[in-house]
Amino acid sequence: MLNIKKYQFWFCTGSQDLYGEECLSHVAEHSQKIVEALNHSGNLPFEVVWKPTLVTNELIRGTFNEANIDENCAGVITWMHTFSPAKSWIHGLQEFRKPLLHLHTQFNREIPYDSIDMDFMNENQAAHGDREYGHIFSRLGMERKVVVGFWEDEDVQREIAAWMRTAVGVVESRHVRVMRVADNMRNVAVTEGDKVEAQIKFGWEVDAYPVNEIAEAVSAVQKGDVDALVEEYYDQYEILLEGRDEKDFREHVAVQAAIEIGFERFLEEKNYHALVTHFGDLGALKQLPGLAVQRLMEKGYGFGAEGDWKTAAMVRIMKIMTQGMKDSKGTSFMEDYTYNLVPGKEGILQSHMLEVCPSIAQGAISIKEQPLSMGGREDPARLVFTSKTGPAVAVSLIDLGDRFRLIINKVECKNVEKPMPKLPVATAFWTPQPDLKTGAQAWILAGGAHHTAFSYDLTAEQMGDWAEAMGIEAVYIDKDTTIRQFKNELRWNSMAFGK
Ligand code: MN
């Protein structure tokens, strides 16, 4: 279900007809070589498509409008090989609606000291032309990503690759559809939000269904399909009976298998990419979807608990942004639960009642059954595991009433010191940057939620770029964060973004 389009990015080189045919033929040749090298580098997740050099207002305007209507084009990479008067770009840029990367590079790495003359300088003047071009974006107040460096360098290619993933997240955001099973949890503030504004800003369609309509889809699943999926679970996961009756255990697992199949059919049939549930409103469902939702997340669906559709949509987008990534470590819905405040070992234990995505698991995954302390249903089956270590990013999208804010925290995931044999849920443990005291203080000052969308595979920069493309406020909590500066940033942002 995570299969998204085979997106492409157009590579457009700017110039003008002042320099003569020979120069323009070099420009075309050089840009083709760069495109070829980028495509063969193995560093880019999507194909780059070369386009003829843009030399006139009409051609620029026409090309950007073609890019708008090409469904496979997720963005345009532009570079001024020579000088291209930026007034020529105004109409095209004003009409362009997709992500844009300004690649500030140069065909030659080194100044050819012995042979350089005026012809060479006129032909290779990105330092000049890219400044003229950059000016018009700033004048138009348009968002764009600027990447600087030599096109053959791996770090430059990796920056382009990271932006491509963000760009796909931006383009795909306008196709995200969230299915709400029941409403938000009563009295909870931070999981609420303006769904109309979310559709205007992010493109998300957020629809509610009565829980029993989904429960019907679950009860319609044939026993043969359920049994086959239970077999798959028993092959794939360790079974932790812990003294429970084997037959009874299997029957509880089968309830989750029916939920997985029923929910997935419902989501597919109605074309939804993310879902929310609420433990307090389960209708005819026998268990809170646990194992079932964990597996749906692993397949690429976004998820948020207690009706949290904002986090569900963010999880979906972040899963899209990481699609097909080599050595991916996983992306999940997550919740801040409890602290370790031992000096030098500070951190936040992350978990949820059940719903943590197994894509972030490290080592074996087991099935457990335990009572929920809330909801009053049958003991639900859930996947239990610990998570990978290393750097990651946790984000929270909140609605401040007059605007959205994305809070982006860099975190360091660690192993917990000791096993937690009595805890019947999947967990992660992390220390927020710059340290627990400052990180948690900044998070709380910014109004960040207890729910997050979490990923090992994305960077704070990518999430900030996504927010910029959406035209919303983003704040970073990282190694450079100080509380005094952060509070000022929030104040200043309220002037910049507030209505
Ligand atoms: Mn929760």
Side-chain angles (χ1 to χ4, degrees):
M1 94 120 303
L2 236 189
N3 282 334
I4 52 168
K5 284 194 201 101
K6 274 206 155 97
Y7 280 114
Q8 296 174 328
F9 289 83
W10 291 11
F11 192 98
C12 298
T13 311
S15 188
Q16 62 177 325
D17 46 20
L18 201 69
Y19 305 111
E21 275 313 306
E22 199 190 336
C23 174
L24 282 177
S25 74
H26 290 161
V27 168
E29 189 190 317
H30 293 166
S31 58
Q32 275 168 314
K33 276 190 180 151
I34 291 176
V35 167
E36 217 170 288
L38 290 176
N39 282 329
H40 286 112
S41 70
N43 289 327
L44 302 190
F46 299 96
E47 188 192 358
V48 181
V49 178
W50 181 84
K51 292 285 164 183
T53 311
L54 300 182
V55 286
T56 64
N57 303 20
E58 292 71 28
L59 195 52
I60 292 167
R61 192 175 194 169
T63 303
F64 278 118
N65 276 299
E66 278 170 40
N68 279 336
I69 46 176
D70 187 319
E71 286 200 351
N72 292 314
C73 173
V76 172
I77 300 170
T78 48
W79 166 51
M80 302 304 112
H81 189 307
T82 63
F83 191 83
S84 179
K87 281 158 78 175
S88 316
W89 293 78
I90 291 174
H91 292 141
L93 291 177
Q94 279 179 325
E95 287 163 20
F96 186 51
R97 293 189 304 272
K98 289 182 176 175
L100 190 140
L101 181 133
H102 179 181
L103 177 61
H104 185 42
T105 190
Q106 180 170 286
F107 185 67
N108 53 302
R109 187 192 287 274
E110 191 177 25
I111 295 172
Y113 297 104
D114 298 334
S115 61
I116 188 166
D117 56 13
M118 274 321 286
D119 284 343
F120 181 91
M121 285 226 290
N122 280 330
E123 191 176 296
N124 298 279
Q125 53 171 320
H128 180 191
D130 272 334
R131 281 174 168 74
E132 164 76 0
Y133 176 64
H135 166 78
I136 206 65
F137 280 95
S138 301
R139 174 75 190 262
L140 292 169
M142 279 180 70
E143 294 303 339
R144 79 286 201 191
K145 181 74 178 174
V146 181
V147 170
V148 180
F150 191 55
W151 50 279
E152 269 187 337
D153 289 346
E154 195 176 322
D155 65 323
V156 170
Q157 294 174 354
R158 295 215 178 273
E159 282 178 63
I160 297 170
W163 169 80
M164 282 178 159
R165 291 191 173 279
T166 307
V168 167
V170 170
V171 169
E172 282 279 328
S173 184
R174 303 209 75 81
H175 301 283
V176 167
R177 304 183 74 239
V178 184
M179 175 180 89
R180 300 171 69 220
V181 181
D183 205 342
N184 293 69
M185 185 175 165
R186 276 190 293 276
N187 292 321
V188 177
V190 81
T191 55
E192 287 280 2
D194 183 339
K195 297 191 285 294
V196 178
E197 192 62 19
Q199 187 162 352
I200 293 169
K201 275 276 186 269
F202 310 119
W204 303 343
E205 294 175 60
V206 185
D207 303 322
Y209 286 83
V211 59
N212 280 342
E213 205 175 319
I214 290 109
E216 267 172 41
V218 171
S219 63
V221 178
Q222 304 86 338
K223 189 175 179 302
D225 292 345
V226 173
D227 291 345
L229 189 56
V230 171
E231 277 305 318
E232 194 184 315
Y233 292 169
Y234 272 64
D235 284 346
Q236 199 174 335
Y237 308 117
E238 281 180 36
I239 305 299
L240 292 180
L241 282 181
E242 296 174 324
R244 287 175 166 252
D245 176 69
E246 202 179 331
K247 189 163 162 283
D248 183 67
F249 190 99
R250 203 179 174 99
E251 278 167 13
H252 280 211
V253 171
V255 169
Q256 293 288 335
I259 294 175
E260 179 182 337
I261 298 168
F263 270 52
E264 192 170 11
R265 285 179 186 163
F266 197 90
L267 288 158
E268 268 184 14
E269 185 196 317
K270 296 183 161 50
N271 191 30
Y272 287 101
H273 317 105
L275 75 154
V276 301
T277 58
H278 175 9
F279 68 88
D281 192 354
L282 293 172
L285 292 173
K286 287 184 199 146
Q287 297 175 14
L288 174 64
L291 194 161
V293 153
Q294 292 177 289
R295 290 191 30 114
L296 288 173
M297 252 193 283
E298 193 178 22
K299 287 175 184 172
Y301 288 95
F303 176 76
E306 293 101 51
D308 186 352
W309 52 268
K310 298 196 300 300
T311 309
M314 286 311 301
V315 171
R316 166 64 181 173
I317 283 167
M318 289 164 75
K319 281 184 176 279
I320 289 168
M321 287 167 73
T322 63
Q323 193 208 23
M325 194 179 260
K326 224 175 103 218
D327 308 320
S328 152
K329 289 171 76 177
T331 299
S332 181
F333 167 71
M334 201 54 102
E335 179 169 275
D336 297 294
Y337 242 114
T338 198
Y339 285 124
N340 192 47
L341 296 173
V342 177
K345 298 171 182 175
E346 294 95 342
I348 318 169
L349 190 66
Q350 303 287 325
S351 190
H352 203 260
M353 285 163 73
L354 305 173
E355 313 91 336
V356 182
C357 179
S359 66
I360 68 170
Q362 170 173 264
I365 301 176
S366 312
I367 301 183
K368 268 198 188 206
E369 281 169 18
Q370 290 270 329
L372 280 182
S373 46
M374 295 179 264
R377 293 298 163 111
E378 207 173 278
D379 299 354
R382 74 288 301 272
L383 297 173
V384 181
F385 50 85
T386 55
S387 303
K388 298 178 184 89
T389 56
V393 66
V395 308
S396 169
L397 181 69
I398 58 164
D399 186 337
L400 288 168
D402 61 348
R403 68 187 188 278
F404 291 105
R405 170 186 286 159
L406 189 70
I407 298 141
I408 306 165
N409 195 182
K410 287 190 184 184
V411 301
E412 186 66 29
C413 297
K414 303 167 177 177
N415 286 319
V416 284
E417 266 188 292
K418 296 172 195 168
M420 301 174 285
K422 291 192 171 167
L423 198 62
V425 282
T427 58
F429 180 78
W430 72 56
T431 309
Q433 282 192 12
D435 53 71
L436 179 67
K437 254 178 180 308
T438 316
Q441 195 180 339
W443 186 273
I444 286 169
L445 286 170
H450 50 275
H451 284 170
T452 57
F454 161 81
S455 181
Y456 294 101
D457 303 322
L458 294 169
T459 62
E461 184 179 338
Q462 282 174 299
M463 297 316 298
D465 287 348
W466 181 86
E468 257 184 52
M470 295 294 144
I472 65 159
E473 178 191 0
V475 288
Y476 298 88
I477 303 170
D478 59 20
K479 64 176 176 35
D480 298 325
T481 299
T482 64
I483 294 302
R484 189 169 64 186
Q485 187 61 31
F486 192 75
K487 284 172 86 166
N488 276 332
E489 196 178 326
L490 295 178
R491 268 184 210 115
W492 298 330
N493 283 357
S494 71
M495 301 300 287
F497 291 91
K499 276 177 187 162

